[in-house]
Amino acid sequence: MSLLRQVLLLILLGGIAYGGFTAYERYMGGEAVQGAAGGADGGRRGGREARVEVTRAELHTIRSRIEAVGSTKALQAIDIVPLSSGQVVSISFEPGQEVDAGQVLLRLDDTLEQAAVSEAEARLGQTRVALDRATKLRRSGNTAQSTLDEATVAEEAAAAQLSAARKKLDDRSVTAPFAGMVGMRNVDMGARVDDNTVVTTLDDLSQVLVEFSVPETWFGAVTVGQTVKARAATWPDRVFVGKIESIDSRIATATRAFKIRAILPNADRALPAGMFLYVEIELDERQALLVPEQAVQASAQGSYLFVAEDGRAVMRHVTVGQRENGMVEITSGIAEGDEVISTGLQRLRDGIAIQTGDDRKQPQAGSGENDKAGQDKGAGA
């Protein structure tokens, strides 16, 4: 065997021996070392016992609630467009302004329309004079009935033409159909627009709608008129309270959920259209078994926790319900009065020995510490 192979073999054997010695010291000699250490280390670490704290699972009264997320919509919302084409000669609103129903927002050039109205008014006046003359002549028998009929038709046609001319003149003014808040201005003075041009938007934000989806399991638990509470990230310290306005009659097959629409008062316009909201619907009060939220852990098989039984930690798979104020509801897996381990969870495994916070050992009469104290006292005497 060459010298190089001999050296490599010695190195390999030395590594194997060192690894075996280390494993022996760690796994075989640990208990002996702890036992020899006596009260100093053994009392502090409690051997292989894990020190934990437990909390008794108890029944508490909670209020069931449904939580969801949704977005706001204006009570009424439209795009403002002109009813005719023309050049903008006047703009009477600013972005974000509150306007009344019927208020003029924009005017188009109406020179031709005003002339058409004047012409229609003159024609109507002329036909009315002719109708009045034909009526008098007919009464005296100096004209035929057909002449009176023609004068009547001419007067009615002239009145209709005047109404059409006035409507075209009115269409040169863009007005707000309802009270609300106008959005950004999309046109400028002198621009030419038509009936496809969106001048601005108009939203009625005196109240807002919030639409959200709820799992089908709650379909029979919600009703129209039920109270809804909503919160927005923009206003973290504020709760918006409203009522359910409508409930969808269909459940979506893809999501197994149905839609709910609620109305929230918005007198100060704090909620714009499109804002994201956290929504909560409170239901009836009930009794629930609660444990600290930190006691429940998650795994691929579901939620679980540890309970203290006969000085050992026992794993229990549980079903989690509602969460409230740092506590979590357990609907199955444990019973009332079970001692649930709430701290020291990182060292736990199923069946491990535990020592609770109330299990600290107190010195007994005749123990080493008391004997030592007695000897010191005697020596002093």
Side-chain angles (χ1 to χ4, degrees), residues 9 168 204 209 230 236:
L9 181 60
K168 290 182 179 180
D204 179 2
L209 299 173

Side-chain angles (χ1 to χ4, degrees), residues 82 84-91 106-110 172 174 185-195 197-199:
S84 59
S85 302
Q87 185 180 27
V88 177
V89 296
S90 174
I91 299 177
L106 179 143
R107 292 184 187 275
L108 304 179
D109 180 29
D110 57 4
R172 309 302 288 178
V174 180
R185 191 170 67 185
N186 298 325
V187 297
D188 296 315
M189 288 286 294
R192 185 167 183 83
V193 298
D194 56 29
D195 56 3
T197 304
V198 177
V199 174

Side-chain angles (χ1 to χ4, degrees), residues 191-210:
R192 185 167 183 83
V193 298
D194 56 29
D195 56 3
N196 291 319
T197 304
V198 177
V199 174
T200 186
T201 58
L202 179 64
D203 295 333
D204 179 2
L205 296 174
S206 58
Q207 301 179 90
V208 295
L209 299 173
V210 55

